[in-house]
Amino acid sequence: MKYIDKIYALQHRSPGIFGEDEATKYAIFLPLIRVKEEIHVLFEVRAHHLRRQPGEICFPGGKIDKVDDHAKAAAIRETLEELNLHSKDVSIVAPLDIMVGYGQIIEPFVGEICQDVNNIFPNKDEVEEIFTVPLDYFMDTKPEKYLVELHPHPSVDFPFHYIPNGKKYNWRMRGIKELFYEYNGRVIWGLTAKILYHFVQLVQKSKNNN
């Protein structure tokens, strides 16, 4: 039968991420740094002249380029470029959970910056300033959570005649939860807060299992 051999061959394939070929891929690095014998999380403030999200608080990261062997390499490369560090300044890099949605695949990592924070002079083309927050603060503080509702808006040429009920189709409403941390007047939210919260949960679960 036509195609039957190819269909049976699918039994041996390893599943990937649906839509991966069309998605834009990013790598993010959550930097930990020791400050006076205490573990801190290091944050960047994006340069105010940037076109996208100027002045927002974030972690180092960016698109995975062809020069990168894998996402981990991209996360480290972006961190070194943005913070003006050398490869010897980064250690203990571990993967966090991959995030998929809205045509993007984001692979976050956590690692330690082996440098005195006072000796880090970030790239001013991308980073306005850096600051740190004790990890204990995030371990002890739950973020505020707010729902953002997403309403579908079909394009003017959408073929309503192809679907049941046409223009009266009962679209499924979706929403996303936005997290907010506030520390000394600085607000950490969006993707940065989500990755941070995920990391904190992993550490807390690990502590509970030991």
Side-chain angles (χ1 to χ4, degrees):
M1 295 176 65
K2 193 176 182 180
Y3 304 126
I4 194 67
D5 291 341
K6 292 184 178 181
I7 294 171
Y8 275 109
L10 294 177
Q11 298 176 93
H12 307 293
R13 74 180 295 270
S14 297
I17 298 173
F18 191 84
E20 182 175 6
D21 292 341
E22 293 79 30
T24 306
K25 301 177 179 68
Y26 297 89
I28 306 294
F29 191 90
L30 192 165
L32 303 176
I33 191 167
R34 298 172 192 265
V35 178
K36 297 180 179 179
E37 303 305 317
E38 184 180 16
I39 297 178
H40 281 222
V41 180
L42 185 146
F43 296 93
E44 298 178 351
V45 177
R46 289 173 59 83
H48 293 298
H49 62 261
L50 292 176
R51 182 173 57 87
R52 293 183 58 193
Q53 300 171 305
E56 289 205 12
I57 294 170
C58 67
F59 291 133
K63 283 186 180 180
I64 301 175
D65 293 337
K66 293 181 179 179
V67 299
D68 301 311
D69 293 332
H70 39 67
K72 178 179 175 181
I76 295 174
R77 174 183 57 78
E78 289 282 354
T79 302
L80 301 184
E81 291 175 359
E82 294 176 22
L83 297 179
N84 276 325
L85 298 174
H86 301 285
S87 57
K88 64 180 177 62
D89 296 324
V90 176
S91 69
I92 318 177
V93 180
L96 303 176
D97 286 353
I98 298 172
M99 307 173 72
V100 180
Y102 308 106
Q104 298 179 339
I105 297 175
I106 300 170
E107 296 194 46
F109 297 83
V110 61
E112 182 176 4
I113 302 296
C114 305
Q115 183 59 271
D116 188 309
V117 68
N118 295 314
N119 292 332
I120 298 177
F121 303 97
N123 180 353
K124 290 297 184 180
D125 289 337
E126 300 184 62
V127 182
E128 187 72 22
E129 61 173 317
I130 61 172
F131 67 95
T132 71
V133 179
L135 179 57
D136 275 344
Y137 173 79
F138 299 110
M139 298 296 292
D140 298 334
T141 304
K142 291 184 178 180
E144 297 180 29
K145 299 180 182 181
Y146 298 92
L147 181 67
V148 177
E149 293 184 350
L150 303 179
H151 299 274
H153 291 283
S155 61
V156 293
D157 61 346
F158 186 84
F160 285 102
H161 57 284
Y162 284 158
I163 63 176
N165 298 320
K167 292 185 178 181
K168 295 182 179 180
Y169 182 80
N170 186 20
W171 295 95
R172 182 179 178 183
M173 304 300 292
R174 299 181 182 273
I176 56 175
K177 287 183 179 179
E178 289 291 354
L179 309 182
F180 291 81
Y181 291 98
E182 192 276 333
Y183 182 82
N184 285 352
R186 298 186 186 266
V187 178
I188 300 156
W189 75 291
L191 178 63
T192 304
K194 289 179 181 178
I195 293 174
L196 180 60
Y197 182 61
H198 165 56
F199 168 65
V200 167
Q201 287 184 308
L202 290 178
V203 174
Q204 289 175 335
K205 290 177 182 177
S206 177
K207 285 175 59 178
N208 294 335
N209 291 334
N210 293 336

